[in-house]
């Protein structure tokens, strides 16, 4: 049986895999290999769907990992987190919209959408790994910053 506390670690690996897949997919399209671009993007979409599943299960069951850093690092962390969340909300309609136009072979529209969708998605995946590393490994919350009833991932 899967331990709920291991989900943030799994999700960080899935985010890292998305970063790599998005990068490879971008390189394929630059090299003119559309078939490979399509396959890599389908892989990135599949990984992201598994991520979403785990993300929802975790947040409905466990809550949030609290950030334990103090001083200048707090506004840095929360700025990254807020931009990450805004980006994550933005890609929910943008990515399916990009896929729709790719499937319909509306290349010009696909290109217009992905001009925004690809960098936002890439940033969301990179910043996902970053906030995980900051909150879980570098500045974990111990003691009073831990709200009652919330358990830290991996503890
Ligand atoms: C899974 C189905 C997909 C297919 C079949 C597909 C197909 C294509 C095709 C045919 C092109 C070349 C357009 C052209 O130069 O005329 C292209 C470009 C591109 N696609 Fe996709 N794509 C898919 C998904 C995605 C997704 C989900 C993203 C990111 C959100 C994405 C990002 C890009 C990027 C960044 C380019 C380069 C655009 C440029 O050169 O300005 N693709 N895609």
């Amino acid at each position: 049986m899967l331990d709920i506390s291991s989900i943030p670690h799994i999700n960080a690996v899935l985010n890292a895999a998305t970063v790599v897949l998005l990068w490879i997919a971008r390189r394929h399209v630059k090299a003119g290999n559309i078939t490979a671009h399509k396959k890599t993007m389908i892989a990135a979409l599949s990984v992201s769907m598994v991520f979403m599943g785990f993300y929802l299960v975790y947040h409905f069951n466990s809550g949030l990992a609290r950030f334990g850093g103090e001083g200048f690092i707090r506004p840095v962390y929360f700025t990254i987190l807020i931009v990450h969340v805004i980006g994550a909300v933005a890609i929910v309609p943008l990515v399916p919209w990009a896929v729709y136009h790719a499937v319909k072979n509306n290349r010009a529209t696909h290109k217009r959408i992905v001009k925004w969708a690809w960098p936002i998605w890439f940033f969301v995946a990179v910043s996902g790994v970053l906030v995980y590393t900051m909150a879980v490994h570098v500045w974990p919350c111990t003691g009073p910053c831990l709200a009652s009833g919330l358990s830290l991932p991996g503890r």
Side-chain angles (χ1 to χ4, degrees), residues 2-72:
L2 181 74
D3 181 355
I4 197 96
S5 67
S6 59
I7 290 180
H9 309 303
I10 296 169
N11 277 348
V13 172
L14 294 173
N15 262 327
T18 304
V19 172
V20 174
L21 289 167
L22 287 177
W23 191 256
I24 295 171
R26 184 85 182 88
R27 288 190 65 108
H28 280 317
V29 87
K30 276 190 175 168
N33 192 344
I34 301 300
T35 307
H37 168 68
K38 180 181 169 182
K39 283 183 181 164
T40 322
M41 272 308 180
I42 289 170
L45 287 162
S46 309
V47 168
S48 292
M49 277 180 214
V50 175
F51 167 86
M52 276 307 290
F54 276 126
Y55 180 87
L56 293 174
V57 168
Y58 180 73
H59 285 283
F60 278 119
N61 285 283
S62 184
L64 297 163
R66 291 300 175 105
F67 182 67
E70 294 296 339
F72 85 98

Side-chain angles (χ1 to χ4, degrees), residues 61-122:
N61 285 283
S62 184
L64 297 163
R66 291 300 175 105
F67 182 67
E70 294 296 339
F72 85 98
I73 201 63
R74 276 192 92 73
V76 173
Y77 173 79
F78 284 106
T79 304
I80 298 170
L81 184 62
I82 288 165
V83 183
H84 168 80
V85 171
I86 293 170
V89 170
I91 59 172
V92 172
L94 277 180
V95 170
W97 193 26
V99 173
Y100 172 81
H101 285 289
V103 171
K104 291 271 172 192
N105 210 19
N106 299 332
R107 288 187 175 209
T109 314
H110 180 67
K111 274 176 86 166
R112 267 203 306 277
I113 300 164
V114 299
K115 217 168 122 181
W116 293 95
W118 190 91
I120 296 173
W121 193 3
F122 191 75

